Amino acid sequence: MAFTPRARVRWLAAALALPLVGCDRSASTPAVRFRGLDLTGAAYGRDFRLNDPDGRERTLADFRGRAVLLYFGFTQCPDVCPTALIRAAEVRKLLGADKDKLQVVFITVDPERDTAPMLREYTAAFDPSFLGLSGDLARTRETADEFKVYYKKVPTGSSYTMDHSALSYVFDPQGRLRLAMRHEQTADDYAHDIRLLLAQNG
C-alpha cells in the first residue's frame, strides 16, 4: 500500500516515538542508580539465625527500622576482613546524623576458632556498634549457602586459613536484601547507596 506524503510523515513520527516510549521512565517512578549490584527481589539472602557474643539468637527482624551491612569473614583474616570493617566504620562516619540507622553485622566463617569473646573484641576494635555473629559448623554452612557465600578451610602448615568471598550485602530497613557491594568499591560508594535506601524508607 502506498503512503501519501502526509501519511508517510505521520508513520515516521510514530515509528520514531516508539523507542522513546519504551525507554521513558515516569517522573513518579525515577530510576534508582545504585553503585552496587541491585539484588532487589532476590530469592536468596532472606534471613539468618545466629548467636551474638552474649549467646542471644539474632535474626534480621532484630534490626528492623535500620539498614544492615552484612559481611562474612573471620577474625584471623590478614587483610581483606580488616579492610572491609575499616571501610564499614568510615561508611558510618560518612552517614553523619544517620549513622545509627545502619547496623554492621560480621558473620564468622570460622566458628571453630572465633569464640564469642574473640568476636566481641574483634568487631569492637573497628566500631563499638558492630555486631559479630556465629553458629555451629552446620548453621554456618546453612547461612553461607543461603547467601551464596563461598568459604573453604585451607591448611597452612600446622594450622589453617579460610578462603572466602568478599562481597558485602545491604538490607533495607524492612529487612529485604537490596544490594551486593564489591570489595573494590569505596566507602563513598557504600554510603551513597545506603543513603538511597534510607531515603526510600524515610
Side-chain angles (χ1 to χ4, degrees), residues 44-87:
Y44 60 92
R46 292 159 293 189
D47 206 352
F48 53 77
R49 191 172 297 276
L50 298 163
N51 294 328
D52 68 17
D54 294 322
R56 177 184 171 190
E57 188 174 77
R58 297 296 197 117
T59 69
L60 278 169
D62 294 321
F63 312 108
R64 194 61 55 87
R66 286 178 283 172
V68 173
L69 177 60
L70 177 67
Y71 185 78
F72 288 77
F74 65 113
T75 65
Q76 296 188 43
C77 180
D79 46 32
V80 176
C81 300
T83 300
L85 293 179
I86 289 169
R87 180 178 53 230

Side-chain angles (χ1 to χ4, degrees), residues 3-188:
F3 287 112
T4 65
R6 180 174 294 180
R8 186 178 294 111
V9 169
R10 288 177 180 169
W11 179 86
L12 182 59
L16 290 173
L18 288 176
L20 299 178
V21 172
C23 295
D24 181 49
R25 288 181 179 268
S26 169
S28 63
T29 56
V32 176
R33 297 183 178 273
F34 292 119
R35 296 178 185 175
L37 177 63
D38 190 341
L39 297 181
T40 302
Y44 60 92
R46 292 159 293 189
D47 206 352
F48 53 77
R49 191 172 297 276
L50 298 163
N51 294 328
D52 68 17
D54 294 322
R56 177 184 171 190
E57 188 174 77
R58 297 296 197 117
T59 69
L60 278 169
D62 294 321
F63 312 108
R64 194 61 55 87
R66 286 178 283 172
V68 173
L69 177 60
L70 177 67
Y71 185 78
F72 288 77
F74 65 113
T75 65
Q76 296 188 43
C77 180
D79 46 32
V80 176
C81 300
T83 300
L85 293 179
I86 289 169
R87 180 178 53 230
E90 180 62 22
V91 170
R92 273 179 46 86
K93 292 178 183 177
L94 290 172
L95 291 176
D98 287 335
K99 67 178 183 178
D100 291 331
K101 295 179 181 179
L102 174 68
Q103 177 64 57
V104 175
V105 174
F106 178 84
I107 295 178
T108 180
V109 295
D110 187 15
E112 293 177 280
R113 293 186 298 193
D114 287 346
T115 63
M118 288 179 65
L119 274 176
R120 187 196 308 276
E121 181 179 356
Y122 184 74
T123 56
F126 299 96
D127 189 295
S129 72
F130 289 6
L131 182 64
L133 299 179
S134 65
D136 59 21
L137 289 173
R139 183 58 58 86
T140 300
R141 173 57 64 188
E142 175 186 313
T143 306
D145 288 347
E146 171 64 22
F147 284 85
K148 300 187 182 296
V149 167
Y150 165 83
Y151 73 96
K152 181 181 179 181
K153 183 185 289 188
V154 179
T156 56
S158 60
S159 185
Y160 66 90
T161 187
M162 303 294 294
D163 277 351
H164 62 92
S165 49
L167 287 176
S168 294
Y169 294 98
V170 183
F171 296 80
D172 66 20
Q174 277 68 51
R176 298 172 299 200
L177 179 60
R178 299 295 302 277
L179 299 166
M181 306 297 295
R182 299 185 305 278
H183 186 66
E184 297 78 15
Q185 291 184 275
T186 66
D188 186 64

